[in-house]
Amino acid sequence: MQTNDLINALKADAAKQAMPLGYAWWVAIVAATIIAAGVFFVLIGPRPDFAVAAHTLRFLFKFIVTLALAVVAFALLRVLSRPDSDVRRAACWLFLVPILLGTAVVAELFVVPSDQLVTVWWGSNVYVCLTFIPLIGLGPLAVFLAALRHGAPTRPRLAGAVAGLLAGGIAATFYAAHCTDDSPLFVATWYSIAIAGLAALGTVLGRRVARW
C-alpha cells in the first residue's frame, strides 16, 4: 500500500470513529482529573491558608498558568491523535504559557528587591514541588497514553510529550493549591522542571504505547 493510501485509509477510519474518539478524550480528561484529585487529597491536600491566599493575585496566577497549559495541551493532544492532522495552529497556543510566565517574572524583577530574588526563586518547597507534581501526574499520564491508543497518532513521541504536558498541567494545578511559594520565579523554574519530567517520560512511553 502506498503511503498516501495508508494515510487516507487512516483518516477515513478516524472520521468513522470521530464520535467514539472524541468521547474517549472527554472520558480520559475526567478520569485523569479524578485520579489526580485523589492522589492530591490523600497525600498532601490544600495549604492551611488556602482561603486567605485565594484573595491574592500571585496565588491565583499559578492557576491561570497551569490551567492554560492543561487546556492548550488537551486541544493539541486531540489533534495529534488523528493521522495527518495539521498541528501547527494548535501548537502555536503553547507559546501562551511561557509568555504569561515571562511577563510575570519580568514584573516580579521590578517589584522584588534584588537581594531577595534568590530567596523567592528557591522558595521553601522545591523538593516537595519536584516530587509531588510528577507523582500526581503519573496516573493522568497513563490515562492519556491509553486514550492515544484509540486514535492513530503519526507522531507518537510528540503525542507522548504533549500527554506529559497535559498530565503536568493538571498535576501542577492541584499542587498549586498546596504550594506556599507563589513567586512567578519559583513557578517558572520548579514547576516547569517537574512538568518537563512528565513530558520526557511521555516522550519515551509514547513511542512504545502510542505507536501503531
Side-chain angles (χ1 to χ4, degrees), residues 2-177:
Q2 297 295 322
T3 302
N4 289 337
D5 294 336
L6 176 59
I7 291 175
N8 289 332
L10 289 170
K11 288 172 68 177
D13 288 342
K16 294 177 183 177
Q17 299 177 1
M19 287 304 295
L21 180 57
Y23 179 76
W25 278 118
W26 287 111
V27 170
I29 196 71
V30 171
T33 302
I34 292 173
I35 291 171
V39 174
F40 170 75
F41 283 106
V42 168
L43 295 183
I44 49 178
R47 55 195 275 183
D49 63 340
F50 181 89
V52 175
H55 291 86
T56 65
L57 180 60
R58 282 157 58 91
F59 178 72
L60 295 176
F61 178 75
K62 296 189 296 185
F63 295 93
I64 294 174
V65 171
T66 58
L67 286 172
L69 174 61
V71 170
V72 173
F74 181 56
L76 179 55
L77 190 58
R78 293 183 67 189
V79 172
L80 283 167
S81 67
R82 291 180 167 85
D84 198 32
S85 298
D86 185 3
V87 303
R88 289 173 293 181
R89 180 177 298 180
C92 285
W93 283 99
L94 281 176
F95 290 103
L96 174 65
V97 178
I99 289 172
L100 285 172
L101 272 176
T103 302
V105 167
V106 170
E108 186 165 59
L109 292 177
F110 283 100
V111 173
V112 177
S114 58
D115 60 340
Q116 297 180 22
L117 286 175
V118 173
T119 301
V120 298
W121 167 74
W122 184 258
S124 58
N125 294 281
V126 169
Y127 299 114
V128 177
C129 172
L130 294 178
T131 299
F132 281 97
I133 289 180
L135 190 59
I136 295 170
L138 284 176
L141 176 58
V143 170
F144 297 135
L145 289 175
L148 278 173
R149 296 182 65 87
H150 287 270
T154 56
R155 305 173 181 87
R157 288 185 179 181
L158 179 59
V162 175
L165 290 178
L166 175 54
I170 293 173
T173 299
F174 280 102
Y175 176 74

